[in-house]
Amino acid sequence: MTGFVNRSHHHSESGARKLDDAIENDPLFLRATARTMMVLSAFHEADRPMSLTEIARTAGLDRSSTQRIVHTLRQLGYLQRDPHDRGYIPGIRIYDHIFDAMRLNDLLQPAVPLLLDLRRNVNERVDLSLIDDLRLVYAARLPPKREVLHAMLVGLSVPIYCTSAGWAMLSHLPEDQARDIIRRSDRRSYTSRTLVDEDAIMEKASMAAQQGYVVAEEQLLPGEIAIGAAILNAERRPIAAVTVTALLSDWTAEDFTHAVAPSLVQTVSALGRA
Amino acid sequence: MTGFVNRSHHHSESGARKLDDAIENDPLFLRATARTMMVLSAFHEADRPMSLTEIARTAGLDRSSTQRIVHTLRQLGYLQRDPHDRGYIPGIRIYDHIFDAMRLNDLLQPAVPLLLDLRRNVNERVDLSLIDDLRLVYAARLPPKREVLHAMLVGLSVPIYCTSAGWAMLSHLPEDQARDIIRRSDRRSYTSRTLVDEDAIMEKASMAAQQGYVVAEEQLLPGEIAIGAAILNAERRPIAAVTVTALLSDWTAEDFTHAVAPSLVQTVSALGRA
DNA sequence: TATTACTGTATCGCTCAGAGATACACAATG
DNA sequence: CATTGTGTATCTCTGAGCGATACAGTAATA
């Protein structure tokens, strides 16, 4: 158990399969570009440096093509050898791109001060996540005092179907779209309390619709409680969500809700207007 | 003035030029892969959504090729249209890769708790940066209470020649390598106090060598003071640096140094052993 | 209202970039 | 010792994709 929720719900249907379809029908689709990104994506599956053969297998390419792509990406700084020369790892140039992505995201810039205010009010972990099909991807994370790396990492993704933020997003979608997301999700039980039943999840979404927020207890991790609310754009479609996360050892569910919900709702509504 | 230091010191010598060289001599170098990454890199130069033509010009490609690459990257989620449909911006899939890069970096994982300890001791901003040729790239950032986005962004890069962390790195390199880095740097004066003279910079490096840390006053931003120290790997080569940054309105240089230096030195030495 | 200059999008031949088979030196296994 | 991994290198043949060209829509000019 690595503690990372990522890597479990991949969005690539066996990688190469999707590629074939695109090539057939789409004359503008470049195989070479897709292959390049598939090599970079191969590291999603890994928890240690990867060998050329491993990358090839994971990306669904042959060793020769992989060799050339890896070689090129290495020249460019997007891949590098592990410090102990045990394999390849993502290179430092990746950092440039996340910087650009966040810099050019016009939700993030105004969000940070408001998120900091929220954290000061509630004094618990505050995260902002962006929607990506079936996932929520953390884009800004404000960890409390004592934390470990993974709680700080931008880019961690969690499923929609079993998170408070996810339920809050579902509550702002038409019912058929919401159900479609739930159905397509690979619903696994992260804890004994994880919701996997479609109707039970829709129930949570409707609570979110009524209240403007929704609470999730022990959906991803035992002992964890989270409250989430969605951020809507001008067309009232959900584009992001804010989550406050705490430990059940510190709060009862009711106390937590009463303490946090008002500030949270105020924050997301301010972000929606921005 | 955007407040971002990035985008000033690019590492690509006109982009296309470097590509030509590589293709000539290197049979394993894939033009298509390089072109793909050049399209993604085009956003380094931008501070707003980019049009196809802008991307093409910045990446040094023609519009047709750019169209196909952009189209493909968009299908894959690495690019997306701006919410207001004013142009292209980096897509959400980028976040996956930074997550992988940080997750697989075996310096970061053990570093975070130590950096948090350090920040608790000094109660000022703490950053960990990785070396990349002439640059330092922020990989972990612990902002103090009140901050804005850019102070939190992983992937921001700053020059080596005019930062405390950079001087600390230089102090652990052979003199010729250090001077080479300085000479190749595009030395601009960010403030009136920015050091641009090679010997003056080497002087700072030698101070870092003696003390194990070095202080930089108003090198990048007026009113800012920073203290940096290098992290060495097993072969005693500098691979990263830790910086503590504060405001001159809160500290005199001496007070700051006395308060922070011991904790900082202890932190980097612990990280070096890890 | 025309005009000019942008957008994004689409089509189509020709050709060289690159796919993929194959080989090799080396290291770490059994 | 054989086996299976690693990274690296070389070659031929072909179809992926280069880049020219065109077009509809929009925005800002005159």
Side-chain angles (χ1 to χ4, degrees):
Chain A
M1 171 64 173
T2 68
F4 296 115
V5 182
N6 250 21
R7 226 173 327 133
S8 24
H9 47 280
H10 19 251
H11 25 256
S12 55
E13 24 165 310
S14 94
R17 183 75 199 85
K18 201 170 178 181
L19 204 158
D20 292 348
D21 295 359
I23 289 180
E24 290 293 303
N25 316 322
D26 187 346
L28 287 174
F29 192 90
L30 296 191
R31 186 174 57 155
T33 293
R35 285 176 157 206
T36 299
M37 301 322 285
M38 285 166 64
V39 164
L40 286 175
S41 299
F43 291 89
H44 293 173
E45 320 288 323
D47 55 356
R48 61 194 160 77
M50 296 184 93
S51 78
L52 201 56
T53 315
E54 283 178 302
I55 297 173
R57 184 169 29 75
T58 310
L61 305 174
D62 62 273
R63 248 172 57 99
S64 290
S65 300
T66 308
Q67 176 191 8
R68 287 188 295 272
I69 295 170
V70 164
H71 173 86
T72 307
L73 288 175
R74 202 180 160 187
Q75 299 292 321
L76 300 174
Y78 291 101
L79 293 182
Q80 59 189 220
R81 294 292 295 176
D82 170 68
H84 308 288
D85 202 52
R86 290 170 306 192
Y88 296 98
I89 56 174
I92 197 151
R93 287 290 295 275
I94 299 288
Y95 289 78
D96 291 333
H97 292 156
I98 191 62
F99 179 76
D100 295 331
M102 296 181 71
R103 190 166 49 84
L104 293 171
N105 183 321
D106 54 7
L107 176 64
L108 248 41
Q109 184 96 26
V112 170
L114 295 172
L115 295 173
L116 282 160
D117 286 346
L118 176 59
R119 195 202 25 196
R120 199 150 35 81
N121 284 343
V122 303
N123 214 37
E124 292 287 357
R125 176 147 67 93
V126 171
D127 292 311
L128 183 144
S129 50
L130 306 176
I131 191 167
D132 176 33
D133 196 22
L134 309 179
R135 310 185 297 158
L136 294 170
V137 179
Y138 287 115
R141 317 203 64 180
L142 310 184
K145 298 286 110 195
R146 177 147 294 279
E147 273 297 352
V148 287
L149 176 66
H150 87 265
M152 298 181 49
L153 285 188
V154 159
L156 177 69
S157 64
V158 295
I160 284 183
Y161 76 88
C162 66
T163 51
S164 61
W167 298 338
M169 317 250 357
L170 291 177
S171 75
H172 291 281
L173 293 175
E175 177 164 347
D176 56 334
Q177 281 182 39
R179 289 190 181 272
D180 179 57
I181 288 177
I182 298 170
R183 290 199 189 109
R184 279 159 53 225
S185 294
D186 171 26
R187 277 164 282 164
R188 57 184 65 193
S189 291
Y190 293 99
T191 76
S192 58
R193 299 181 67 184
T194 305
L195 294 193
V196 294
D197 177 66
E198 181 182 324
D199 290 319
I201 294 165
M202 287 302 291
E203 178 66 24
K204 289 291 185 184
S206 91
M207 288 177 62
Q210 286 163 38
Q211 305 170 141
Y213 64 87
V214 61
V215 173
E217 290 181 66
E218 303 193 301
Q219 290 294 304
L220 283 174
L221 287 174
E224 197 177 76
I225 183 169
I227 181 170
I231 301 173
L232 307 180
N233 66 6
E235 294 83 38
R236 312 223 44 125
R237 287 176 21 109
I239 52 169
V242 176
T243 312
V244 178
T245 311
L247 297 177
L248 280 171
S249 52
D250 296 337
W251 298 87
T252 69
E254 291 101 73
D255 288 350
F256 181 67
T257 306
H258 284 87
V260 175
S263 304
L264 175 64
V265 168
Q266 192 194 334
T267 301
V268 295
S269 103
L271 284 170
R273 280 183 254 113
Chain B
M1 170 64 174
T2 68
F4 296 115
V5 182
N6 250 21
R7 226 172 327 131
S8 26
H9 47 279
H10 21 251
H11 26 256
S12 57
E13 22 165 313
S14 92
R17 182 77 198 85
K18 202 170 178 182
L19 204 158
D20 292 348
D21 296 359
I23 289 180
E24 290 293 304
N25 316 321
D26 186 346
L28 287 175
F29 193 91
L30 296 191
R31 187 175 55 157
T33 293
R35 286 177 156 206
T36 298
M37 302 322 285
M38 284 166 65
V39 164
L40 286 175
S41 299
F43 292 88
H44 294 172
E45 320 288 323
D47 54 357
R48 60 194 162 78
M50 296 184 92
S51 78
L52 201 56
T53 315
E54 283 178 302
I55 297 173
R57 185 170 27 75
T58 310
L61 305 173
D62 62 90
R63 248 172 57 98
S64 290
S65 301
T66 307
Q67 176 192 7
R68 287 189 295 272
I69 296 170
V70 165
H71 173 86
T72 308
L73 289 175
R74 202 180 160 188
Q75 299 292 322
L76 300 173
Y78 292 101
L79 293 182
Q80 58 188 222
R81 295 291 296 176
D82 171 68
H84 308 286
D85 202 52
R86 290 170 306 192
Y88 296 98
I89 56 173
I92 197 151
R93 287 291 295 275
I94 299 289
Y95 288 79
D96 290 333
H97 292 156
I98 192 60
F99 179 77
D100 295 331
M102 295 180 72
R103 189 167 49 83
L104 292 171
N105 183 322
D106 54 8
L107 177 63
L108 248 42
Q109 184 97 25
V112 170
L114 295 173
L115 295 174
L116 282 160
D117 287 345
L118 175 59
R119 195 202 24 196
R120 199 150 34 81
N121 284 343
V122 304
N123 215 37
E124 292 287 357
R125 175 146 68 91
V126 171
D127 293 310
L128 182 143
S129 49
L130 305 175
I131 190 166
D132 176 34
D133 195 22
L134 309 179
R135 310 184 297 159
L136 295 170
V137 180
Y138 288 114
R141 316 204 66 180
L142 310 184
K145 297 288 108 195
R146 177 148 293 280
E147 273 298 354
V148 287
L149 177 67
H150 86 265
M152 298 181 49
L153 285 189
V154 159
L156 177 70
S157 66
V158 294
I160 285 183
Y161 75 89
C162 65
T163 51
S164 61
W167 298 337
M169 317 254 350
L170 291 176
S171 75
H172 291 281
L173 293 175
E175 177 164 347
D176 56 333
Q177 282 182 39
R179 288 189 181 273
D180 179 57
I181 287 176
I182 298 170
R183 290 199 189 108
R184 280 159 52 224
S185 294
D186 171 26
R187 276 163 284 164
R188 58 184 65 193
S189 291
Y190 293 98
T191 76
S192 58
R193 298 180 68 183
T194 305
L195 293 193
V196 294
D197 177 67
E198 181 181 326
D199 290 318
I201 293 165
M202 287 302 292
E203 177 67 23
K204 288 291 186 184
S206 92
M207 288 176 63
Q210 285 164 38
Q211 305 168 142
Y213 64 88
V214 61
V215 173
E217 290 181 65
E218 303 193 299
Q219 291 293 305
L220 284 176
L221 287 173
E224 197 176 76
I225 183 169
I227 181 170
I231 300 173
L232 308 179
N233 65 5
E235 295 83 38
R236 314 223 42 123
R237 287 175 23 108
I239 51 169
V242 177
T243 312
V244 178
T245 311
L247 297 177
L248 280 171
S249 53
D250 296 337
W251 298 87
T252 69
E254 291 101 74
D255 288 350
F256 181 66
T257 306
H258 285 88
V260 175
S263 304
L264 175 64
V265 167
Q266 192 195 334
T267 302
V268 295
S269 103
L271 284 170
R273 280 183 254 112

mmCIF file of all heavy atoms in Angstrom, chain B residues 6 25 29 51 62 67 81 121 124-125 154 156 214 221 236 252 264:
data_model
loop_
_atom_site.group_PDB
_atom_site.id
_atom_site.type_symbol
_atom_site.label_atom_id
_atom_site.label_comp_id
_atom_site.label_asym_id
_atom_site.label_seq_id
_atom_site.Cartn_x
_atom_site.Cartn_y
_atom_site.Cartn_z
ATOM 1 N N ASN B 6 10.161 33.150 -14.297
ATOM 2 C CA ASN B 6 10.290 32.267 -15.450
ATOM 3 C C ASN B 6 10.159 33.025 -16.745
ATOM 4 O O ASN B 6 9.850 34.189 -16.781
ATOM 5 C CB ASN B 6 9.184 31.214 -15.413
ATOM 6 C CG ASN B 6 9.756 29.841 -15.115
ATOM 7 O OD1 ASN B 6 10.843 29.743 -14.570
ATOM 8 N ND2 ASN B 6 9.028 28.804 -15.472
ATOM 9 N N ASN B 25 23.062 14.416 -36.741
ATOM 10 C CA ASN B 25 24.081 13.524 -36.195
ATOM 11 C C ASN B 25 23.517 12.296 -35.493
ATOM 12 O O ASN B 25 24.199 11.289 -35.376
ATOM 13 C CB ASN B 25 24.946 14.306 -35.204
ATOM 14 C CG ASN B 25 25.305 15.676 -35.750
ATOM 15 O OD1 ASN B 25 25.581 15.800 -36.947
ATOM 16 N ND2 ASN B 25 25.275 16.687 -34.913
ATOM 17 N N PHE B 29 17.410 10.091 -32.842
ATOM 18 C CA PHE B 29 16.621 11.263 -32.455
ATOM 19 C C PHE B 29 15.401 11.393 -33.348
ATOM 20 O O PHE B 29 15.519 11.432 -34.571
ATOM 21 C CB PHE B 29 17.487 12.520 -32.554
ATOM 22 C CG PHE B 29 16.889 13.715 -31.898
ATOM 23 C CD1 PHE B 29 17.166 13.988 -30.572
ATOM 24 C CD2 PHE B 29 16.057 14.571 -32.607
ATOM 25 C CE1 PHE B 29 16.620 15.107 -29.959
ATOM 26 C CE2 PHE B 29 15.501 15.681 -31.993
ATOM 27 C CZ PHE B 29 15.790 15.957 -30.665
ATOM 28 N N SER B 51 -3.063 31.148 -29.759
ATOM 29 C CA SER B 51 -3.698 30.688 -30.996
ATOM 30 C C SER B 51 -2.770 29.708 -31.697
ATOM 31 O O SER B 51 -1.583 29.628 -31.395
ATOM 32 C CB SER B 51 -3.988 31.865 -31.914
ATOM 33 O OG SER B 51 -2.802 32.263 -32.574
ATOM 34 N N ASP B 62 5.652 25.062 -38.884
ATOM 35 C CA ASP B 62 4.641 25.656 -39.752
ATOM 36 C C ASP B 62 3.248 25.363 -39.197
ATOM 37 O O ASP B 62 3.072 24.505 -38.335
ATOM 38 C CB ASP B 62 4.778 25.122 -41.185
ATOM 39 C CG ASP B 62 4.569 23.636 -41.229
ATOM 40 O OD1 ASP B 62 3.413 23.209 -41.401
ATOM 41 O OD2 ASP B 62 5.563 22.901 -41.072
ATOM 42 N N GLN B 67 -0.926 22.365 -36.412
ATOM 43 C CA GLN B 67 -2.338 21.984 -36.359
ATOM 44 C C GLN B 67 -2.503 20.526 -35.971
ATOM 45 O O GLN B 67 -3.280 20.195 -35.070
ATOM 46 C CB GLN B 67 -2.973 22.219 -37.730
ATOM 47 C CG GLN B 67 -4.422 21.764 -37.812
ATOM 48 C CD GLN B 67 -4.933 21.738 -39.231
ATOM 49 O OE1 GLN B 67 -4.179 21.945 -40.174
ATOM 50 N NE2 GLN B 67 -6.213 21.498 -39.390
ATOM 51 N N ARG B 81 -8.953 23.944 -25.013
ATOM 52 C CA ARG B 81 -9.341 25.313 -25.323
ATOM 53 C C ARG B 81 -9.527 26.078 -24.026
ATOM 54 O O ARG B 81 -10.011 25.532 -23.027
ATOM 55 C CB ARG B 81 -10.646 25.338 -26.116
ATOM 56 C CG ARG B 81 -10.550 24.719 -27.484
ATOM 57 C CD ARG B 81 -9.700 25.527 -28.434
ATOM 58 N NE ARG B 81 -10.236 26.835 -28.708
ATOM 59 C CZ ARG B 81 -9.618 27.737 -29.452
ATOM 60 N NH1 ARG B 81 -8.447 27.469 -29.985
ATOM 61 N NH2 ARG B 81 -10.154 28.909 -29.663
ATOM 62 N N ASN B 121 10.853 25.814 12.524
ATOM 63 C CA ASN B 121 11.915 26.488 13.266
ATOM 64 C C ASN B 121 12.038 27.955 12.882
ATOM 65 O O ASN B 121 12.173 28.822 13.739
ATOM 66 C CB ASN B 121 13.266 25.811 13.012
ATOM 67 C CG ASN B 121 13.379 24.506 13.788
ATOM 68 O OD1 ASN B 121 12.624 24.278 14.728
ATOM 69 N ND2 ASN B 121 14.312 23.668 13.372
ATOM 70 N N GLU B 124 9.550 30.986 8.153
ATOM 71 C CA GLU B 124 9.573 31.770 6.915
ATOM 72 C C GLU B 124 9.428 30.796 5.750
ATOM 73 O O GLU B 124 9.423 29.584 5.942
ATOM 74 C CB GLU B 124 10.887 32.565 6.785
ATOM 75 C CG GLU B 124 11.051 33.689 7.790
ATOM 76 C CD GLU B 124 10.153 34.890 7.481
ATOM 77 O OE1 GLU B 124 9.445 34.863 6.461
ATOM 78 O OE2 GLU B 124 10.155 35.843 8.289
ATOM 79 N N ARG B 125 9.341 31.332 4.567
ATOM 80 C CA ARG B 125 9.155 30.497 3.378
ATOM 81 C C ARG B 125 10.344 29.581 3.146
ATOM 82 O O ARG B 125 11.497 29.991 3.206
ATOM 83 C CB ARG B 125 8.955 31.399 2.157
ATOM 84 C CG ARG B 125 8.864 30.652 0.862
ATOM 85 C CD ARG B 125 7.924 31.328 -0.097
ATOM 86 N NE ARG B 125 8.411 32.614 -0.566
ATOM 87 C CZ ARG B 125 9.143 32.779 -1.667
ATOM 88 N NH1 ARG B 125 9.494 31.734 -2.379
ATOM 89 N NH2 ARG B 125 9.514 33.986 -2.034
ATOM 90 N N VAL B 154 5.096 24.924 -7.976
ATOM 91 C CA VAL B 154 6.175 24.032 -8.368
ATOM 92 C C VAL B 154 6.477 24.277 -9.840
ATOM 93 O O VAL B 154 5.571 24.478 -10.631
ATOM 94 C CB VAL B 154 5.739 22.572 -8.135
ATOM 95 C CG1 VAL B 154 6.566 21.607 -8.966
ATOM 96 C CG2 VAL B 154 5.810 22.233 -6.664
ATOM 97 N N LEU B 156 8.385 26.754 -10.999
ATOM 98 C CA LEU B 156 9.024 28.053 -11.198
ATOM 99 C C LEU B 156 10.526 27.857 -11.226
ATOM 100 O O LEU B 156 11.064 27.081 -10.452
ATOM 101 C CB LEU B 156 8.657 29.006 -10.052
ATOM 102 C CG LEU B 156 9.306 30.386 -10.089
ATOM 103 C CD1 LEU B 156 8.745 31.232 -11.225
ATOM 104 C CD2 LEU B 156 9.128 31.118 -8.767
ATOM 105 N N VAL B 214 24.912 30.557 2.192
ATOM 106 C CA VAL B 214 25.218 31.900 1.728
ATOM 107 C C VAL B 214 23.931 32.720 1.653
ATOM 108 O O VAL B 214 22.849 32.178 1.410
ATOM 109 C CB VAL B 214 25.949 31.880 0.356
ATOM 110 C CG1 VAL B 214 25.080 31.224 -0.703
ATOM 111 C CG2 VAL B 214 26.385 33.260 -0.069
ATOM 112 N N LEU B 221 14.283 40.126 -6.251
ATOM 113 C CA LEU B 221 13.193 41.038 -5.930
ATOM 114 C C LEU B 221 13.650 42.029 -4.866
ATOM 115 O O LEU B 221 14.328 41.639 -3.904
ATOM 116 C CB LEU B 221 11.990 40.258 -5.388
ATOM 117 C CG LEU B 221 11.180 39.433 -6.375
ATOM 118 C CD1 LEU B 221 10.140 38.597 -5.645
ATOM 119 C CD2 LEU B 221 10.522 40.348 -7.407
ATOM 120 N N ARG B 236 29.122 13.535 -3.462
ATOM 121 C CA ARG B 236 29.390 14.904 -3.037
ATOM 122 C C ARG B 236 29.182 15.926 -4.154
ATOM 123 O O ARG B 236 29.814 16.978 -4.166
ATOM 124 C CB ARG B 236 30.813 15.034 -2.471
ATOM 125 C CG ARG B 236 31.214 13.953 -1.487
ATOM 126 C CD ARG B 236 31.949 14.544 -0.299
ATOM 127 N NE ARG B 236 31.308 15.766 0.151
ATOM 128 C CZ ARG B 236 30.853 15.969 1.398
ATOM 129 N NH1 ARG B 236 30.964 15.056 2.297
ATOM 130 N NH2 ARG B 236 30.286 17.109 1.734
ATOM 131 N N THR B 252 16.988 42.198 9.903
ATOM 132 C CA THR B 252 18.286 42.643 9.400
ATOM 133 C C THR B 252 18.989 41.397 8.864
ATOM 134 O O THR B 252 18.667 40.273 9.246
ATOM 135 C CB THR B 252 19.163 43.253 10.505
ATOM 136 O OG1 THR B 252 19.560 42.210 11.398
ATOM 137 C CG2 THR B 252 18.407 44.328 11.276
ATOM 138 N N LEU B 264 19.129 25.533 8.806
ATOM 139 C CA LEU B 264 19.240 25.254 7.374
ATOM 140 C C LEU B 264 20.367 24.271 7.095
ATOM 141 O O LEU B 264 20.190 23.291 6.365
ATOM 142 C CB LEU B 264 19.470 26.570 6.606
ATOM 143 C CG LEU B 264 19.734 26.430 5.106
ATOM 144 C CD1 LEU B 264 18.519 25.850 4.395
ATOM 145 C CD2 LEU B 264 20.110 27.777 4.498
#
